[in-house]
Amino acid sequence: MKRHKINWRVPKGAELTELDKKVLFYQDKGHLVPTRQLIKTPEQIEGIRRSGVINTGVLDLVEKKIHAGMSTAEIDKLVYEYTRDHGAIPACLGYEGFPKSCCTSINEVVCHGIPSEEEVLEEGDIINVDCTTILDGYYADASRMFIIGKTTPQKEKLVRVAKECLEVGMEAARPFGFVGDIGHAVEKHAKKNGFSVVRDLCGHGVGVEFHEEPDVEHFGKKGTGMLLVPGMVFTIEPMINMGTWEVFIDEEDGWTVVTEDELPSAQWEHTFVMTEQGLEILTY
């Protein structure tokens, strides 16, 4: 196995802990391991958890209010106002120039759809609403799918299977397993149901910044990618397509990601902390 860079360093003069021994064992075998900075302290995890409560509240509110005839700009207004009313900040607003407080991605839009007055929800649409909340400097990130009224059986299945992909990815993530275990489980479930997995976008570490290591790809091989160590916080957010996995970015706005064949896409996302027992969900 190719030797990776030395990420895990024991401070000079510090006594080796059991965690150090375990991580160094994998590092010595040539596996990619996290840096110590990626292992969150109990205080940081508590901060991310509190941010997650607001993030969940935002999506609960959207779930209550979303309906046919509503513009995606109205969704954005709900997200902005709820987040600010709870003393938090919508992380998307102004992030690398993104103009709104959340992403609203309808039908063939995979992710990063920009809310707009012109875009009005219609019966049968499927939409992903993706929110990231900053509370006291801590980030929590989640997205949900919503079906507007009654849709086609194929779209219904896509939304359901995308949620199942998140669930099988969660189950595959074990302490001292690997990021690749998640991707392998997700891809297998999507393919079994006749769908494909977007490869150009992935989950990520999160918590003290919007995007941290590791990249959490939703395809791949077991036993590859970064070692999953208790204390790591990251998202799993599979993007599942009805047709090809290939996507393109809308040149006009530089953000909106669309399926290459313009068939529908669905995505669900949670933020997790890895514990000694397995994953704990910090957002719903």
Side-chain angles (χ1 to χ4, degrees):
M1 187 181 276
K2 187 178 88 184
R3 193 164 182 85
H4 287 286
K5 57 186 180 193
I6 306 297
N7 270 346
W8 194 269
R9 298 176 188 277
V10 180
K12 218 175 176 172
E15 208 171 308
L16 273 188
T17 64
E18 285 308 309
L19 184 65
D20 286 326
K21 288 178 196 168
K22 224 161 181 182
V23 176
L24 289 170
F25 168 79
Y26 284 100
Q27 182 167 270
D28 290 345
K29 286 183 98 113
H31 291 287
L32 178 64
V33 304
T35 60
R36 280 172 168 274
Q37 286 68 40
L38 290 181
I39 309 304
K40 305 293 189 275
T41 65
E43 293 75 26
Q44 287 173 327
I45 292 164
E46 196 42 51
I48 300 162
R49 185 182 280 113
R50 284 198 305 271
S51 184
V53 170
I54 295 171
N55 205 72
T56 298
V58 170
L59 288 168
D60 285 348
L61 177 66
V62 172
E63 191 152 322
K64 226 179 275 174
K65 302 277 189 183
I66 201 164
H67 62 270
M70 181 183 209
S71 73
T72 51
E74 288 173 71
I75 297 171
D76 187 70
K77 188 168 184 276
L78 286 177
V79 169
Y80 178 79
E81 288 176 355
Y82 183 97
T83 306
R84 297 302 311 201
D85 288 349
H86 288 78
I89 299 164
C92 291
L93 188 58
Y95 176 75
E96 292 186 356
F98 191 82
K100 298 291 179 178
S101 298
C102 65
C103 300
T104 50
S105 306
I106 302 173
N107 299 329
E108 72 279 2
V109 177
V110 177
C111 60
H112 303 161
I114 302 173
S116 149
E117 295 285 359
E118 282 74 60
E119 197 171 52
V120 176
L121 295 175
E122 293 176 12
E123 177 91 8
D125 282 341
I126 60 172
I127 178 172
N128 177 273
V129 179
D130 191 344
C131 304
T132 305
T133 300
I134 314 170
L135 179 69
D136 303 327
Y138 294 109
Y139 290 75
D141 186 3
S143 80
R144 286 185 207 168
M145 291 301 298
F146 302 102
I147 296 173
I148 306 305
K150 194 161 169 47
T151 195
T152 64
Q154 297 95 316
K155 279 188 182 176
E156 244 175 58
K157 183 184 177 187
L158 179 68
V159 170
R160 175 175 56 78
V161 170
K163 191 172 193 186
E164 290 167 1
C165 282
L166 172 59
E167 288 159 358
V168 300
M170 283 163 54
E171 283 161 24
R174 308 300 307 164
F176 301 102
F178 295 91
V179 167
D181 304 348
I182 300 169
H184 174 80
V186 168
E187 186 176 36
K188 189 175 163 191
H189 190 72
K191 280 186 168 169
K192 187 177 85 179
N193 284 280
F195 298 134
S196 65
V197 178
V198 173
R199 290 169 167 250
D200 298 356
L201 300 129
C202 59
H204 52 89
V206 70
V208 291
E209 289 173 42
F210 199 158
H211 297 104
E212 304 173 18
E213 287 190 313
D215 283 349
V216 180
E217 292 179 330
H218 303 106
F219 63 95
K221 289 185 187 154
K222 282 183 182 176
T224 63
M226 191 177 278
L227 184 72
L228 295 169
V229 177
M232 287 171 72
V233 176
F234 53 90
T235 71
I236 302 175
E237 47 180 299
M239 287 151 256
I240 308 302
N241 291 355
M242 200 178 278
T244 178
W245 60 265
E246 293 175 287
V247 300
F248 67 92
I249 295 174
D250 184 318
E251 281 177 12
E252 275 182 44
D253 65 34
W255 280 103
T256 307
V257 179
V258 183
T259 57
E260 189 65 59
D261 53 13
E262 301 199 354
L263 287 175
S265 181
Q267 178 196 16
W268 295 79
E269 173 187 15
H270 290 323
T271 295
F272 301 93
V273 59
M274 180 57 79
T275 74
E276 300 279 355
Q277 288 74 44
L279 287 185
E280 180 194 333
I281 306 175
L282 300 179
T283 60
Y284 282 88

mmCIF file of all heavy atoms in Angstrom, residues 188-216:
data_model
loop_
_atom_site.group_PDB
_atom_site.id
_atom_site.type_symbol
_atom_site.label_atom_id
_atom_site.label_comp_id
_atom_site.label_asym_id
_atom_site.label_seq_id
_atom_site.Cartn_x
_atom_site.Cartn_y
_atom_site.Cartn_z
ATOM 1 N N LYS A 188 -23.737 0.645 -3.782
ATOM 2 C CA LYS A 188 -24.346 -0.682 -3.955
ATOM 3 C C LYS A 188 -25.876 -0.590 -3.867
ATOM 4 O O LYS A 188 -26.598 -1.169 -4.682
ATOM 5 C CB LYS A 188 -23.797 -1.610 -2.853
ATOM 6 C CG LYS A 188 -24.153 -3.064 -3.029
ATOM 7 C CD LYS A 188 -23.462 -3.900 -1.962
ATOM 8 C CE LYS A 188 -24.107 -5.251 -1.840
ATOM 9 N NZ LYS A 188 -23.633 -5.984 -0.648
ATOM 10 N N HIS A 189 -26.367 0.188 -2.885
ATOM 11 C CA HIS A 189 -27.818 0.307 -2.691
ATOM 12 C C HIS A 189 -28.464 1.077 -3.847
ATOM 13 O O HIS A 189 -29.537 0.701 -4.329
ATOM 14 C CB HIS A 189 -28.132 0.976 -1.355
ATOM 15 C CG HIS A 189 -29.591 0.916 -1.009
ATOM 16 N ND1 HIS A 189 -30.216 -0.252 -0.630
ATOM 17 C CD2 HIS A 189 -30.558 1.873 -1.026
ATOM 18 C CE1 HIS A 189 -31.507 -0.010 -0.422
ATOM 19 N NE2 HIS A 189 -31.738 1.279 -0.654
ATOM 20 N N ALA A 190 -27.801 2.142 -4.295
ATOM 21 C CA ALA A 190 -28.348 2.940 -5.403
ATOM 22 C C ALA A 190 -28.441 2.092 -6.668
ATOM 23 O O ALA A 190 -29.476 2.068 -7.351
ATOM 24 C CB ALA A 190 -27.477 4.169 -5.647
ATOM 25 N N LYS A 191 -27.352 1.379 -6.982
ATOM 26 C CA LYS A 191 -27.304 0.566 -8.211
ATOM 27 C C LYS A 191 -28.341 -0.550 -8.184
ATOM 28 O O LYS A 191 -28.970 -0.844 -9.193
ATOM 29 C CB LYS A 191 -25.907 -0.026 -8.393
ATOM 30 C CG LYS A 191 -24.916 0.971 -8.993
ATOM 31 C CD LYS A 191 -23.598 0.308 -9.290
ATOM 32 C CE LYS A 191 -22.709 1.198 -10.152
ATOM 33 N NZ LYS A 191 -21.332 0.673 -10.221
ATOM 34 N N LYS A 192 -28.503 -1.161 -6.998
ATOM 35 C CA LYS A 192 -29.479 -2.248 -6.839
ATOM 36 C C LYS A 192 -30.882 -1.762 -7.208
ATOM 37 O O LYS A 192 -31.714 -2.521 -7.692
ATOM 38 C CB LYS A 192 -29.436 -2.728 -5.377
ATOM 39 C CG LYS A 192 -30.265 -3.959 -5.088
ATOM 40 C CD LYS A 192 -30.103 -4.396 -3.645
ATOM 41 C CE LYS A 192 -31.062 -3.645 -2.744
ATOM 42 N NZ LYS A 192 -30.953 -4.042 -1.330
ATOM 43 N N ASN A 193 -31.130 -0.476 -6.985
ATOM 44 C CA ASN A 193 -32.447 0.111 -7.276
ATOM 45 C C ASN A 193 -32.516 0.790 -8.640
ATOM 46 O O ASN A 193 -33.486 1.473 -8.953
ATOM 47 C CB ASN A 193 -32.822 1.094 -6.161
ATOM 48 C CG ASN A 193 -33.268 0.382 -4.903
ATOM 49 O OD1 ASN A 193 -34.409 -0.066 -4.815
ATOM 50 N ND2 ASN A 193 -32.373 0.233 -3.946
ATOM 51 N N GLY A 194 -31.463 0.610 -9.445
ATOM 52 C CA GLY A 194 -31.468 1.140 -10.801
ATOM 53 C C GLY A 194 -31.094 2.605 -10.924
ATOM 54 O O GLY A 194 -31.359 3.245 -11.944
ATOM 55 N N PHE A 195 -30.460 3.167 -9.865
ATOM 56 C CA PHE A 195 -30.080 4.572 -9.879
ATOM 57 C C PHE A 195 -28.555 4.721 -9.873
ATOM 58 O O PHE A 195 -27.830 3.761 -9.649
ATOM 59 C CB PHE A 195 -30.682 5.301 -8.667
ATOM 60 C CG PHE A 195 -32.184 5.296 -8.635
ATOM 61 C CD1 PHE A 195 -32.884 4.993 -7.471
ATOM 62 C CD2 PHE A 195 -32.920 5.609 -9.773
ATOM 63 C CE1 PHE A 195 -34.280 4.995 -7.428
ATOM 64 C CE2 PHE A 195 -34.318 5.612 -9.757
ATOM 65 C CZ PHE A 195 -34.992 5.309 -8.585
ATOM 66 N N SER A 196 -28.100 5.959 -10.101
ATOM 67 C CA SER A 196 -26.660 6.216 -10.111
ATOM 68 C C SER A 196 -26.297 7.233 -9.028
ATOM 69 O O SER A 196 -27.159 7.956 -8.521
ATOM 70 C CB SER A 196 -26.215 6.731 -11.482
ATOM 71 O OG SER A 196 -26.812 7.995 -11.734
ATOM 72 N N VAL A 197 -25.006 7.285 -8.679
ATOM 73 C CA VAL A 197 -24.512 8.165 -7.618
ATOM 74 C C VAL A 197 -23.629 9.251 -8.229
ATOM 75 O O VAL A 197 -22.679 8.939 -8.950
ATOM 76 C CB VAL A 197 -23.680 7.358 -6.587
ATOM 77 C CG1 VAL A 197 -23.129 8.276 -5.499
ATOM 78 C CG2 VAL A 197 -24.502 6.248 -5.965
ATOM 79 N N VAL A 198 -23.939 10.502 -7.914
ATOM 80 C CA VAL A 198 -23.111 11.619 -8.389
ATOM 81 C C VAL A 198 -21.694 11.464 -7.837
ATOM 82 O O VAL A 198 -21.514 11.216 -6.641
ATOM 83 C CB VAL A 198 -23.730 12.973 -7.952
ATOM 84 C CG1 VAL A 198 -22.801 14.134 -8.293
ATOM 85 C CG2 VAL A 198 -25.091 13.163 -8.603
ATOM 86 N N ARG A 199 -20.699 11.619 -8.712
ATOM 87 C CA ARG A 199 -19.309 11.429 -8.304
ATOM 88 C C ARG A 199 -18.551 12.738 -8.121
ATOM 89 O O ARG A 199 -17.485 12.765 -7.517
ATOM 90 C CB ARG A 199 -18.578 10.574 -9.355
ATOM 91 C CG ARG A 199 -19.056 9.135 -9.334
ATOM 92 C CD ARG A 199 -18.559 8.321 -10.507
ATOM 93 N NE ARG A 199 -18.810 6.904 -10.236
ATOM 94 C CZ ARG A 199 -17.865 6.012 -9.979
ATOM 95 N NH1 ARG A 199 -16.601 6.361 -9.987
ATOM 96 N NH2 ARG A 199 -18.175 4.749 -9.728
ATOM 97 N N ASP A 200 -19.097 13.823 -8.678
ATOM 98 C CA ASP A 200 -18.353 15.090 -8.675
ATOM 99 C C ASP A 200 -18.545 15.910 -7.397
ATOM 100 O O ASP A 200 -17.898 16.937 -7.221
ATOM 101 C CB ASP A 200 -18.783 15.956 -9.871
ATOM 102 C CG ASP A 200 -18.476 15.283 -11.204
ATOM 103 O OD1 ASP A 200 -17.877 14.197 -11.191
ATOM 104 O OD2 ASP A 200 -18.859 15.843 -12.252
ATOM 105 N N LEU A 201 -19.450 15.465 -6.528
ATOM 106 C CA LEU A 201 -19.706 16.178 -5.272
ATOM 107 C C LEU A 201 -19.750 15.157 -4.144
ATOM 108 O O LEU A 201 -20.053 13.987 -4.379
ATOM 109 C CB LEU A 201 -21.032 16.936 -5.350
ATOM 110 C CG LEU A 201 -21.072 17.985 -6.465
ATOM 111 C CD1 LEU A 201 -22.305 17.800 -7.324
ATOM 112 C CD2 LEU A 201 -21.025 19.390 -5.901
ATOM 113 N N CYS A 202 -19.456 15.607 -2.933
ATOM 114 C CA CYS A 202 -19.345 14.625 -1.842
ATOM 115 C C CYS A 202 -19.719 15.255 -0.505
ATOM 116 O O CYS A 202 -19.904 16.469 -0.400
ATOM 117 C CB CYS A 202 -17.920 14.082 -1.788
ATOM 118 S SG CYS A 202 -16.659 15.354 -1.537
ATOM 119 N N GLY A 203 -19.799 14.401 0.522
ATOM 120 C CA GLY A 203 -19.922 14.882 1.894
ATOM 121 C C GLY A 203 -18.561 15.384 2.357
ATOM 122 O O GLY A 203 -17.567 15.295 1.633
ATOM 123 N N HIS A 204 -18.502 15.870 3.610
ATOM 124 C CA HIS A 204 -17.270 16.530 4.056
ATOM 125 C C HIS A 204 -17.251 16.651 5.571
ATOM 126 O O HIS A 204 -18.292 16.625 6.231
ATOM 127 C CB HIS A 204 -17.200 17.928 3.431
ATOM 128 C CG HIS A 204 -18.459 18.734 3.654
ATOM 129 N ND1 HIS A 204 -18.643 19.541 4.755
ATOM 130 C CD2 HIS A 204 -19.606 18.817 2.941
ATOM 131 C CE1 HIS A 204 -19.855 20.087 4.705
ATOM 132 N NE2 HIS A 204 -20.471 19.665 3.610
ATOM 133 N N GLY A 205 -16.049 16.846 6.091
ATOM 134 C CA GLY A 205 -15.919 17.213 7.492
ATOM 135 C C GLY A 205 -16.566 18.572 7.710
ATOM 136 O O GLY A 205 -16.638 19.391 6.797
ATOM 137 N N VAL A 206 -17.050 18.804 8.940
ATOM 138 C CA VAL A 206 -17.743 20.063 9.236
ATOM 139 C C VAL A 206 -17.668 20.287 10.743
ATOM 140 O O VAL A 206 -17.336 19.371 11.491
ATOM 141 C CB VAL A 206 -19.218 19.989 8.742
ATOM 142 C CG1 VAL A 206 -20.049 19.024 9.578
ATOM 143 C CG2 VAL A 206 -19.877 21.372 8.691
ATOM 144 N N GLY A 207 -17.999 21.493 11.176
ATOM 145 C CA GLY A 207 -18.061 21.731 12.625
ATOM 146 C C GLY A 207 -17.469 23.055 13.045
ATOM 147 O O GLY A 207 -18.167 23.935 13.522
ATOM 148 N N VAL A 208 -16.154 23.227 12.841
ATOM 149 C CA VAL A 208 -15.543 24.519 13.162
ATOM 150 C C VAL A 208 -15.333 25.337 11.890
ATOM 151 O O VAL A 208 -15.050 26.519 11.929
ATOM 152 C CB VAL A 208 -14.232 24.385 13.980
ATOM 153 C CG1 VAL A 208 -14.533 23.881 15.382
ATOM 154 C CG2 VAL A 208 -13.227 23.483 13.310
ATOM 155 N N GLU A 209 -15.483 24.685 10.741
ATOM 156 C CA GLU A 209 -15.531 25.374 9.441
ATOM 157 C C GLU A 209 -16.654 24.747 8.632
ATOM 158 O O GLU A 209 -17.139 23.673 8.956
ATOM 159 C CB GLU A 209 -14.204 25.208 8.692
ATOM 160 C CG GLU A 209 -13.048 25.997 9.293
ATOM 161 C CD GLU A 209 -11.732 25.656 8.623
ATOM 162 O OE1 GLU A 209 -11.710 25.527 7.377
ATOM 163 O OE2 GLU A 209 -10.725 25.509 9.349
ATOM 164 N N PHE A 210 -17.029 25.406 7.537
ATOM 165 C CA PHE A 210 -18.113 24.905 6.671
ATOM 166 C C PHE A 210 -17.681 23.592 6.012
ATOM 167 O O PHE A 210 -18.430 22.617 6.000
ATOM 168 C CB PHE A 210 -18.403 25.971 5.604
ATOM 169 C CG PHE A 210 -19.749 25.849 4.936
ATOM 170 C CD1 PHE A 210 -20.313 26.964 4.320
ATOM 171 C CD2 PHE A 210 -20.465 24.655 4.906
ATOM 172 C CE1 PHE A 210 -21.547 26.894 3.684
ATOM 173 C CE2 PHE A 210 -21.702 24.577 4.273
ATOM 174 C CZ PHE A 210 -22.241 25.699 3.662
ATOM 175 N N HIS A 211 -16.472 23.574 5.452
ATOM 176 C CA HIS A 211 -15.967 22.372 4.785
ATOM 177 C C HIS A 211 -14.590 22.035 5.330
ATOM 178 O O HIS A 211 -13.680 22.854 5.252
ATOM 179 C CB HIS A 211 -15.892 22.582 3.269
ATOM 180 C CG HIS A 211 -17.232 22.815 2.648
ATOM 181 N ND1 HIS A 211 -17.673 24.057 2.249
ATOM 182 C CD2 HIS A 211 -18.254 21.969 2.391
ATOM 183 C CE1 HIS A 211 -18.900 23.960 1.768
ATOM 184 N NE2 HIS A 211 -19.283 22.709 1.848
ATOM 185 N N GLU A 212 -14.486 20.845 5.897
ATOM 186 C CA GLU A 212 -13.220 20.361 6.443
ATOM 187 C C GLU A 212 -12.920 19.002 5.805
ATOM 188 O O GLU A 212 -13.736 18.464 5.059
ATOM 189 C CB GLU A 212 -13.331 20.184 7.966
ATOM 190 C CG GLU A 212 -13.759 21.439 8.722
ATOM 191 C CD GLU A 212 -14.016 21.170 10.211
ATOM 192 O OE1 GLU A 212 -13.555 20.134 10.739
ATOM 193 O OE2 GLU A 212 -14.673 22.000 10.844
ATOM 194 N N GLU A 213 -11.762 18.455 6.121
ATOM 195 C CA GLU A 213 -11.488 17.068 5.730
ATOM 196 C C GLU A 213 -12.327 16.162 6.618
ATOM 197 O O GLU A 213 -12.708 16.558 7.705
ATOM 198 C CB GLU A 213 -9.999 16.761 5.936
ATOM 199 C CG GLU A 213 -9.107 17.427 4.894
ATOM 200 C CD GLU A 213 -7.688 16.897 4.977
ATOM 201 O OE1 GLU A 213 -7.149 16.809 6.109
ATOM 202 O OE2 GLU A 213 -7.143 16.552 3.928
ATOM 203 N N PRO A 214 -12.621 14.937 6.215
ATOM 204 C CA PRO A 214 -12.280 14.335 4.932
ATOM 205 C C PRO A 214 -13.368 14.600 3.890
ATOM 206 O O PRO A 214 -14.478 15.017 4.230
ATOM 207 C CB PRO A 214 -12.252 12.841 5.282
ATOM 208 C CG PRO A 214 -13.325 12.696 6.327
ATOM 209 C CD PRO A 214 -13.294 13.978 7.114
ATOM 210 N N ASP A 215 -13.040 14.330 2.618
ATOM 211 C CA ASP A 215 -14.078 14.233 1.586
ATOM 212 C C ASP A 215 -14.790 12.904 1.790
ATOM 213 O O ASP A 215 -14.123 11.866 1.907
ATOM 214 C CB ASP A 215 -13.455 14.258 0.184
ATOM 215 C CG ASP A 215 -13.035 15.662 -0.230
ATOM 216 O OD1 ASP A 215 -13.411 16.630 0.463
ATOM 217 O OD2 ASP A 215 -12.316 15.788 -1.239
ATOM 218 N N VAL A 216 -16.116 12.932 1.854
ATOM 219 C CA VAL A 216 -16.889 11.693 2.034
ATOM 220 C C VAL A 216 -17.575 11.389 0.703
ATOM 221 O O VAL A 216 -18.664 11.901 0.401
ATOM 222 C CB VAL A 216 -17.919 11.842 3.180
ATOM 223 C CG1 VAL A 216 -18.711 10.546 3.368
ATOM 224 C CG2 VAL A 216 -17.216 12.237 4.485
#
